[in-house]
Amino acid sequence: MVVHDFLLQQRSARVKELAASLEFDACGISRAGFLEEEAPRLEKWLSQNYQGTMKWMENHFDKRLDPTLLVEGARSVISVLLNYYPQQEQPSTSYKIAKYAYGEDYHFVFKSKLKSLLQSLEEHFGAIHGRVFVDSAPVMDKAWAERSGLGWVGKNSNLISPKTGSFFLIGEIILDLDLAPDHAIQDYCGTCTRCLDACPTDAIAAPYVVDGSKCISYFTIELKESIPEAVKGTFDDWIFGCDICQDVCPWNRFSRPHSHPEFTPKPELLELSKTDWEALTEDAFRELFRKSPLKRAKFEGIRRTIAFIKDKGPEV
């Protein structure tokens, strides 16, 4: 048993070396299995309709909780992080987009890196079966990252690392290779309520529980119909996503600029004023945001949100 455990530890160490060589910012490992603690939380969250119009979150309930239903014979979940905290930020006089959207769409960047890692694992360990996941399949990425010791899920429902804060992306490889698992770390949110206090739409319904249907990110990206009048005046110029609950988090004083050129914003983005955003044509939008996450909201969606922000409503 001691020899077996030593071999698993050697394997895990090698996995982390390979992840580091591909410039992942952190790597942790957990044992694949049913997420017993998350099951009732997810069921309650869905029953309260916190998913809003994101009906896809109601699908594949069992697969979200059991990785062996996604990868037959799964033994381990490898979680990796990519830092996206920018060197430069938009000027305060511009309409705002979430920092993760400054550069290229992370789905493509991250998935490519994960596929390279899986290929390296196959070359090193031989015949293994695995799949890569980046926010596009029923995988509870924060739960797995937390289990693997990469951080704890904070009161704003983001994974927080005591070393680097929370401005990073999470991806996974689920595979049928036995590895020595890491261990979860302590929750260091303590009595802090800055994220709850700062959310302008009261989307953080309770500590650790976010009502997705009230989040500015939901209104500006996921919601395809009209934005409710009830939230008029609360967006603080956010037109794609929102970083408020992360910006106020004390742990993000440890955030450092990323080293991934794909996430570096075009200079033109940082130069856009509100007037420039309002005058943006569809052709210019397509060119500037050709590889950007903003394509998800589309030109019409960005224009809708800007119009919503500009319309202050009737004077009282």
Side-chain angles (χ1 to χ4, degrees):
M1 178 63 76
V2 174
V3 173
H4 177 69
D5 290 345
F6 178 70
L7 290 174
L8 294 188
Q9 289 169 2
Q10 281 191 314
R11 281 185 187 175
S12 293
R14 185 57 181 151
V15 168
K16 293 175 183 178
E17 288 173 2
L18 292 171
S21 72
L22 290 168
E23 299 185 323
F24 286 107
D25 294 289
C27 175
I29 296 165
S30 43
R31 192 165 279 130
F34 186 74
L35 294 171
E36 292 185 14
E37 292 181 12
E38 283 76 9
R41 295 178 195 161
L42 177 59
E43 187 172 24
K44 182 178 180 180
W45 191 84
L46 291 170
S47 71
Q48 292 173 306
N49 294 315
Y50 285 167
Q51 71 276 27
T53 61
M54 299 181 289
K55 299 303 180 186
W56 47 269
M57 297 193 76
E58 303 168 19
N59 301 332
H60 308 297
F61 183 86
D62 291 339
K63 288 183 178 179
R64 289 185 189 280
L65 299 164
D66 188 351
T68 64
L69 299 178
L70 292 167
V71 175
E72 187 176 354
R75 304 288 294 173
S76 304
V77 179
I78 300 170
S79 296
V80 288
L81 305 181
L82 273 185
N83 175 25
Y84 64 85
Y85 190 75
Q87 179 80 43
Q88 294 176 284
E89 295 187 40
Q90 290 178 279
S92 59
T93 54
S94 177
Y95 288 117
K96 305 171 188 176
I97 65 173
K99 295 178 185 66
Y100 78 81
Y102 277 16
E104 295 181 25
D105 191 328
Y106 70 87
H107 293 90
F108 304 114
V109 175
F110 211 157
K111 186 162 283 189
S112 176
K113 286 180 178 289
L114 276 171
K115 286 181 177 178
S116 295
L117 177 56
L118 180 57
Q119 183 178 346
S120 295
L121 295 174
E122 290 168 343
E123 291 170 357
H124 187 78
F125 293 110
I128 58 175
H129 175 50
R131 290 178 62 188
V132 303
F133 299 91
V134 181
D135 192 27
S136 57
V139 177
M140 300 188 72
D141 53 3
K142 288 178 283 190
W144 290 113
E146 184 176 47
R147 282 192 169 204
S148 69
L150 294 180
W152 73 94
V153 176
K155 292 178 183 178
N156 59 4
S157 85
N158 287 309
L159 186 78
I160 302 172
S161 162
K163 296 179 180 179
T164 56
S166 65
F167 286 105
F168 46 72
L169 306 161
I170 308 172
E172 301 82 33
I173 297 177
I174 300 174
L175 72 173
D176 61 354
L177 179 68
D178 260 325
L179 297 167
D182 295 299
H183 303 287
I185 65 172
Q186 183 180 336
D187 178 333
Y188 289 102
C189 279
T191 59
C192 179
T193 59
R194 290 190 192 181
C195 57
L196 286 85
D197 300 336
C199 181
T201 57
D202 295 324
I204 307 178
Y208 309 101
V209 181
V210 171
D211 181 346
S213 70
K214 288 185 177 181
C215 184
I216 290 175
S217 290
Y218 169 77
F219 292 128
T220 58
I221 302 173
E222 302 293 347
L223 185 66
K224 305 309 177 188
E225 53 203 49
S226 298
I227 302 172
E229 290 292 312
V231 294
K232 191 175 288 295
T234 64
F235 279 26
D236 191 27
D237 292 333
W238 290 96
I239 60 171
F240 186 89
C242 176
D243 287 330
I244 291 174
C245 68
Q246 296 193 84
D247 285 337
V248 301
C249 178
W251 288 99
N252 278 321
R253 69 186 183 276
F254 298 117
S255 296
R256 297 292 179 267
H258 66 76
S259 59
H260 309 294
E262 302 95 333
F263 296 151
T264 300
K266 294 180 180 180
E268 302 96 305
L269 169 63
L270 299 181
E271 294 168 1
L272 287 177
S273 66
K274 286 186 179 179
T275 302
D276 294 330
W277 276 103
E278 292 162 11
L280 206 61
T281 65
E282 186 163 7
D283 287 343
F285 175 86
R286 287 178 176 173
E287 177 58 29
L288 181 57
F289 299 111
R290 188 163 49 90
K291 295 182 178 181
S292 165
L294 269 73
K295 288 171 58 180
R296 188 171 173 189
K298 300 181 180 177
F299 177 69
E300 296 82 4
I302 298 296
R303 286 186 63 84
R304 175 205 64 169
T305 303
I306 290 175
F308 181 80
I309 291 173
K310 287 184 66 180
D311 179 12
K312 306 295 185 182
E315 301 230 350
V316 180

